[in-house]
Amino acid sequence: MTLIERIPLLNDQELVSLLANARRLDIVGTPAQRTAAAEVLPVLELEASKRRQTTLEAATKKRGATAAKRKAAAAEAA
């Protein structure tokens, strides 16, 4: 299994760490490291973006549910 194939299986902390390392190597790495980082960076960025979107959507749903509970509780109290 290649690194690119393993990316969706990484937990969030592993993904963040790998993304940071790939960004660093893309700037200060040897030519071989820069080539490898350039190959992996788009896939890492896409996966990180997907996870951020999922987190934002979950937070939005949670806020909406909390607001609805507060509104219902305020209507009952009135």
Side-chain angles (χ1 to χ4, degrees):
M1 182 179 272
T2 67
L3 177 60
I4 291 175
E5 292 170 339
R6 289 183 47 210
I7 289 172
L9 305 176
L10 299 174
N11 66 39
D12 291 344
Q13 184 57 42
E14 291 169 331
L15 180 66
V16 167
S17 180
L18 187 58
L19 182 56
N21 286 335
R23 286 176 176 160
R24 179 182 52 81
L25 288 174
D26 191 40
I27 296 169
V28 297
T30 65
Q33 289 171 326
R34 287 180 181 191
T35 301
E39 198 174 294
V40 141
L41 267 171
V43 180
L44 288 169
E45 294 281 358
L46 180 62
E47 184 66 26
S49 176
K50 286 179 187 176
R51 291 185 187 192
R52 272 191 303 273
Q53 184 64 32
T54 301
T55 302
L56 286 173
E57 288 172 0
T60 301
K61 285 181 184 178
K62 185 175 180 180
R63 271 188 243 117
T66 302
K69 285 181 186 177
R70 277 193 218 133
K71 189 175 182 179
E76 287 178 13

